[in-house]
Amino acid sequence: MTQTLTAPATPPVRKGGGGARPPRSGSRRPGWTPWLYLAPALVVLAGLLVYPVYQLGLISVLEYTQAQVSGGEPTSFQGLGNYQQLFADPQFWQVLTATVVFAALCVLSTLFVGCAFAVLLTRIRALPRLALLIASLGAWATPAITGSTVWMFLFDADFGPVNRLLGLGDFSWTYGRYSAFALVLLEVVWCSFPFVMVTVYAGIRAVPTEVLEAASLDGASQWRIWRSVLAPMLRPILLVVTIQSVIWDFKIFTQIYVMTDGGGIAGQNLVLNVYAYQQAFASSEYSLGAAIGVVMLLILLAVTLVYLRLMRRQGEEL
């Protein structure tokens, strides 16, 4: 008896060469499910951010003074009239220039001090490192109005210990324009550098030790290691802390208002935030104050867009 072999049956092939389509497993689109989870947060953000920005923009295009607030006169639409009045005021451009220069100096000083202390943390032992971290975080956690008051006492012309140590007598730091700005800058750097220090220190600790040891064996100095090795590797972190410092320092209010008594003598130490406050509440020109707020919002939005563009160029996920 002979045994016959039969070939196994092959599944039919569809026309077009596509073959049988494999079954789908878990390929359903998420649909509206993520948005349902995000809905409570979006509602809170809309109430805390979108609506105030809308009101700010609305007031900036209206005639909104104390007469309209009290109901004595009706509110009228001004269009871009408030912005034209604002841009035609020479004081606005002086304050804007002072704000940009002051914020730039604060950012550069904060980055320098923060990065220097971050490198120092990698060079000292555990106990001094812990003491430095606690002291720095204490300065960071101090409220702005408290820190400003303490610095005013330290540099007081009559009772301040700084003038006695430096032999300056009754020199008033808040009388001159540049000395007042310098005093505020020191306070801003004091309360801001811990954020840069901790962030950069965490980035340095993530750098492989083999890279730093190889650079040291090649004879590179500490400055050369920072410039050629650490800085390029920490570029995303440095970019983040720079943009955040720009946003924080550009809208400073408390330090200037407290330490220069509302903007200094004849407004010589005004910045945009304090200038907007004076226009809105001291002069009851709420529409002009709102227009200044919109200008600040657009400037900071432009800075944020530049930050996102730079992050995208470096291949970071947004």
Side-chain angles (χ1 to χ4, degrees):
M1 180 180 295
T2 60
Q3 186 176 2
T4 60
L5 298 177
T6 59
T10 58
V13 180
R14 296 183 179 180
K15 294 181 179 181
R21 183 176 298 177
R24 297 181 179 179
S25 59
S27 60
R28 295 180 59 187
R29 295 183 178 181
W32 292 94
T33 304
W35 293 103
L36 292 178
Y37 286 108
L38 292 174
L42 294 177
V43 171
V44 173
L45 287 177
L48 297 179
L49 182 62
V50 177
Y51 181 73
V53 171
Y54 163 75
Q55 286 291 333
L56 183 70
L58 179 62
I59 294 175
S60 68
V61 296
L62 299 176
E63 183 183 2
Y64 202 72
T65 61
Q66 187 62 38
Q68 283 76 27
V69 173
S70 60
E73 296 181 7
T75 302
S76 60
F77 180 74
Q78 296 292 320
L80 298 178
N82 292 321
Y83 294 95
Q84 294 176 356
Q85 180 181 351
L86 182 65
F87 295 152
D89 186 5
Q91 187 181 14
F92 167 75
W93 296 106
Q94 294 175 3
V95 174
L96 177 61
T97 303
T99 304
V100 172
V101 174
F102 178 72
L105 292 176
C106 287
V107 171
L108 293 176
S109 302
T110 302
L111 290 177
F112 176 79
V113 175
C115 292
F117 274 98
V119 175
L120 178 63
L121 287 176
T122 63
R123 303 294 177 185
I124 57 180
R125 298 182 179 273
L127 188 58
R129 183 189 308 123
L130 179 61
L132 179 57
L133 284 172
I134 293 176
S136 302
L137 293 179
W140 189 22
T142 302
I145 188 169
T146 304
S148 301
T149 305
V150 171
W151 276 74
M152 285 293 295
F153 169 74
L154 292 176
F155 289 84
D156 186 75
D158 298 322
F159 307 103
V162 175
N163 281 11
R164 296 181 181 179
L165 291 176
L166 298 179
L168 297 178
D170 57 351
F171 174 75
S172 177
W173 289 82
T174 58
Y175 183 79
R177 182 186 185 189
Y178 297 107
S179 60
F181 270 129
L183 181 61
V184 178
L185 184 145
L186 291 175
E187 199 279 335
V188 171
V189 173
W190 173 75
C191 67
S192 301
F193 86 89
F195 169 75
V196 179
M197 180 191 70
V198 172
T199 306
V200 176
Y201 174 69
I204 294 176
R205 298 296 295 179
V207 175
T209 56
E210 295 81 3
V211 177
L212 302 178
E213 291 176 355
S216 299
L217 291 176
D218 290 339
S221 62
Q222 295 298 326
W223 168 248
R224 184 62 183 272
I225 292 176
W226 168 261
R227 184 171 61 89
S228 302
V229 180
L230 287 177
M233 299 183 71
L234 299 176
R235 187 174 300 164
I237 295 177
L238 293 176
L239 183 61
V240 170
V241 297
T242 300
I243 297 299
Q244 291 186 347
S245 297
V246 169
I247 294 175
W248 291 341
D249 295 339
F250 189 80
K251 57 186 184 68
I252 281 178
F253 175 84
T254 304
Q255 290 89 340
I256 290 288
Y257 191 83
V258 172
M259 301 179 71
T260 64
D261 196 15
I265 301 174
Q268 63 181 2
N269 296 111
L270 284 176
V271 292
L272 280 180
N273 239 349
V274 180
Y275 184 56
Y277 174 83
Q278 287 188 353
Q279 292 293 327
F281 298 101
S283 303
S284 299
E285 294 286 347
Y286 301 104
S287 53
L288 285 179
I292 299 173
V294 171
V295 172
M296 293 184 59
L297 176 64
L298 294 177
I299 293 175
L300 294 179
L301 181 61
V303 173
T304 305
L305 292 178
V306 170
Y307 159 68
L308 296 177
R309 184 179 181 86
L310 292 175
M311 293 292 289
R312 184 170 298 177
R313 283 184 177 180
Q314 294 182 358
E316 300 289 337
E317 293 185 1
L318 302 177

